[in-house]
Amino acid sequence: MGMTIAEKILARASGRKQVSPGEIVEGSIDVAMTHDIEGPMVVEGLRELGTKKVWDPSKIVVVFDHQVPANSIDAALNHVMLREFAIEQKIPDFYDVFEGICHAVLPEKGFALPGRLIVGTDSHTTTYGAFGCFATGIGSTDMVAVFTRGELWFRVPESVRMTIEGRLPKRVMSKDLILKIIGEVGADGETYRSVEFVGAGMRNINMAGRMTMCNMGVEMGAKAAIVPPDGLTTRYLRGRARGSYKPVYTDRDAAYVEERSFDVKKLEPQVARPYSVDNVGPVSEVEGIEIDQAFLGSCTNGRFEDLVEAAKIVNGRKISKRVRMLVVPASREVYLKALERGILAIFARAGALVEAPSCAACMGGHVGILAPGEVCISASNRNFRGRMGSPKGKIYLASPTTVAASALKGKITDPRDL
Amino acid sequence: MTCAWVFGDNVDTDQIIAGRYLVKLDPHELAKHVMEAADPKFASKVRKGDVIIAGRNFGCGSSRERAPLALKTAGISAIVAKSFARIFYRNAINRGLPVLTCAGVRRGFKTGDKVRVDMLGGKVHNLSTGGTFKVEPLPDFILTILRAGGLLPYLKRSVGKAGR
Ligand code: SF4
């Protein structure tokens, strides 16, 4: 019986020839990531368990990204705690407040490699699947077990195949595609499963776009979201990859529990209305809704390619007076590149606030908090009640181009109209 | 007597404990704000032993382990839902908070009903209406972790040698 990419990776990591969905396996972890929100909980857990030394510092990555620089004494204390831990444990890949969002940093620094088994204390760890690895989010207690023993139990997930055909129309982005998919399958449509995005259409979507899609895999409940590696993957990894890697591919006779296909040729920009990510419709259904804030950033859509697409729309124009637009590059690498190419200047000239790399408004724990009744159009991944501040605030999720167009007009706007 | 708190589908982790409270490590601080976005009165009214009854996809969203931790610290003794999001489910067990799956449970309760959870017998009773609901049995290794009070107490007890 053939295996899918997910099954092959879990088989390799658990030292087996064959695994099948439903089996429980103990996998050895190739990379384990934690950040400034869950990290302190992991440190507490390690203390409780009595772990003096982590299993392998070279396989651990620590990133400060959620509240950087610290915006409260509590946040500063959490940073101190985790910083001391990283130094004491001699973790070489510790990125303090300057590097960016974990899900941008790990791929940039070459940790997300084909065939690897990666865990992170963050649900959007699924992002790395864009590189053909099995990457999934876990809680802090599971991470205590990983930091201590280097292994974790997994239930081998069923696999789902989503075949993408066609090329995205102008100003329509992979964000629109993933929103469309989530709208169709539902917020729990793929719970516990591993979703593979395949097909000729995926070959036309760059690595940034693939990361956006895998990032939001978790918004349909998926345990992992995977794109089979190809030439684009290899090109991205050249000069970045940390060590060697061996891509794995699904066997011809592997089993999927579900198959779907999406043709993107005629896809319209999509928007997810409050308060759930699967409350999706074409932008025409929400056009004209007035907004107070526009957020371009996050681990979903804060990459260079996202900023470029949005800047094409903003260039030479002014952001509506009633809107505050926040532009937050996902990482220092993105920030520098956008700075050097004049992209940040386009936003600043238009009246946007350009912030240093961080999660920023995405989680309502740092900048860009909403007041009751306020509306935000956001390129991030969640529109839950209270996610960005007041539970009475409203978040509409959209692509970077839709966010940019809406910021200019002061209301939700179809980016194809500009 | 323990009471039921009934919630709908897709209760996400931001409703359980909002991002702005995640700087707090003290579980009692977290418990003060638990379920705030879903029901602002919940944190002050919940009593020790109370049970959450919910619909589909309970705990969807973030991997924040403070979600089950805050619920447990607030006094919740079990969550019975039609289904759970994957990471929340595992986090809850790791924190020693029983999470039980039961298809028809939500329609069988309203907030305030008296409830009894019989984990070993695999049943949830609504003592106010007399209704009984069968829950899906938990595998033995999960029951063992729950009985120990969570994964860390379990590891400490059973492995002992975990800290190298
Ligand atoms: S940008 Fe948002 S979703 Fe991504 S890691 Fe940060 S808080 Fe989480």
Side-chain angles (χ1 to χ4, degrees), chain B residues 94-146:
Chain B
N94 284 346
R95 285 284 166 181
L97 173 62
V99 271
L100 302 162
T101 310
C102 173
V105 71
R106 189 184 153 200
R107 267 169 287 123
F109 280 87
K110 54 185 195 324
T111 295
D113 283 354
K114 306 289 175 235
V115 56
R116 195 161 63 84
V117 175
D118 172 9
M119 202 160 54
L120 291 181
K123 289 197 179 77
V124 178
H125 304 281
N126 186 335
L127 305 177
S128 301
T129 65
T132 290
F133 303 85
K134 255 180 87 130
V135 301
E136 286 176 25
L138 291 172
D140 278 345
F141 79 102
I142 288 181
L143 282 173
T144 314
I145 293 173
L146 286 174

Side-chain angles (χ1 to χ4, degrees), chain B residues 5-25:
Chain B
W5 291 86
V6 182
F7 294 95
D9 295 334
N10 297 323
V11 173
D12 56 70
T13 49
D14 281 85
Q15 292 184 54
I16 301 172
I17 186 77
R20 61 188 175 283
Y21 302 123
L22 298 183
V23 283
K24 301 286 184 194
L25 286 172

Side-chain angles (χ1 to χ4, degrees), chain A residues 37-38 40-41 44-45 48-53 55 67 72 74-75 78 81 121-123 136-142 144 148 152-153 187-188 191-192 223 363-365 382 384-387 389 391, chain B residues 10 12-15 18-20 22-26 30 36-38 56-57 60-66 69 83-87 89-91 94-95 141-142 145 151-153 155-156 162-164:
Chain A
I37 291 287
E38 288 298 299
M41 302 263 292
E44 277 197 339
E48 188 186 334
L49 189 59
T51 303
K52 300 264 166 357
K53 260 193 147 118
W55 105 102
Q67 282 156 330
S72 67
D74 282 323
N78 287 342
M81 181 178 180
T121 57
D122 193 286
S123 56
T136 194
I138 61 174
S140 51
T141 298
D142 273 339
V144 170
T148 304
L152 192 68
W153 69 267
D188 59 350
T191 299
Y192 286 97
K223 180 168 182 165
M363 202 195 55
R382 286 189 178 138
F384 299 158
R385 207 181 285 276
R387 172 87 181 171
Chain B
N10 297 323
D12 56 70
T13 49
D14 281 85
Q15 292 184 54
R20 61 188 175 283
L22 298 183
V23 283
K24 301 286 184 194
L25 286 172
D26 177 1
L30 298 168
E36 205 169 76
R56 276 169 37 218
N57 205 22
C60 60
S62 149
S63 65
R64 59 189 70 164
E65 203 165 297
R66 290 172 182 86
L69 177 61
S83 65
F84 291 89
R86 189 185 65 79
I87 310 178
Y89 185 83
R90 203 161 156 153
N91 284 347
N94 284 346
R95 285 284 166 181
F141 79 102
I142 288 181
I145 293 173
L151 185 65
L152 291 187
L155 286 177
K156 271 200 286 194
R164 283 183 288 169

Side-chain angles (χ1 to χ4, degrees), chain A residues 157-364:
Chain A
E158 286 80 16
S159 289
V160 175
R161 176 156 64 188
M162 296 199 182
T163 306
I164 313 299
E165 300 294 350
R167 191 180 282 274
L168 290 163
K170 194 169 169 223
R171 298 210 164 146
V172 179
M173 301 183 69
S174 76
K175 175 66 159 288
D176 298 304
L177 170 57
I178 190 66
L179 285 175
K180 173 88 187 165
I181 292 173
I182 295 166
E184 250 185 65
V185 306
D188 59 350
E190 306 301 349
T191 299
Y192 286 97
R193 294 169 169 174
S194 166
V195 177
E196 273 182 36
F197 295 117
V198 303
M202 285 312 292
R203 306 297 135 225
N204 302 325
I205 295 177
N206 60 27
M207 291 314 297
R210 294 178 189 181
M211 283 191 256
T212 303
M213 292 178 68
C214 292
N215 176 277
M216 292 195 71
V218 70
E219 308 308 334
M220 46 185 167
K223 180 168 182 165
I226 301 179
V227 180
D230 60 8
L232 286 181
T233 322
T234 323
R235 205 174 316 149
Y236 182 98
L237 291 173
R238 205 166 289 147
R240 293 184 193 267
R242 292 285 187 116
S244 58
Y245 60 90
K246 201 166 151 257
V248 289
Y249 297 97
T250 293
D251 293 323
R252 231 175 264 279
D253 57 342
Y256 292 98
V257 286
E258 183 189 322
E259 306 212 23
R260 285 174 188 265
S261 59
F262 297 86
D263 193 332
V264 301
K265 260 197 318 288
K266 294 202 182 101
L267 185 68
E268 291 173 72
Q270 304 286 311
V271 175
R273 292 160 289 221
Y275 291 100
S276 72
V277 184
D278 59 359
N279 190 8
V280 174
V283 65
S284 55
E285 286 178 7
V286 288
E287 249 180 315
I289 293 179
E290 295 192 345
I291 56 166
D292 302 285
Q293 178 164 295
F295 174 47
L296 174 58
S298 86
C299 59
T300 312
N301 276 135
R303 295 192 175 76
F304 182 71
E305 292 81 349
D306 299 318
L307 301 192
V308 168
E309 287 308 309
K312 283 183 195 160
I313 292 176
V314 171
N315 196 8
R317 296 183 163 116
K318 284 269 182 276
I319 285 154
S320 161
K321 278 221 165 53
R322 56 183 310 275
V323 175
R324 34 185 205 274
M325 184 184 194
L326 256 70
V327 178
V328 190
S331 70
R332 179 162 63 154
E333 183 181 312
V334 174
Y335 187 99
L336 268 173
K337 199 166 161 187
L339 183 72
E340 284 160 7
R341 309 234 176 135
I343 307 287
L344 298 185
I346 291 175
F347 291 116
R349 248 180 245 125
L353 295 158
V354 181
E355 295 278 340
S358 84
C359 297
C362 176
M363 202 195 55

Side-chain angles (χ1 to χ4, degrees), chain A residues 23-54:
Chain A
E23 265 181 89
I24 306 275
V25 299
E26 191 97 20
S28 43
I29 304 299
D30 298 312
V31 180
M33 184 281 295
T34 192
H35 54 50
D36 58 342
I37 291 287
E38 288 298 299
M41 302 263 292
V42 178
V43 175
E44 277 197 339
L46 289 167
R47 284 184 189 148
E48 188 186 334
L49 189 59
T51 303
K52 300 264 166 357
K53 260 193 147 118
V54 297

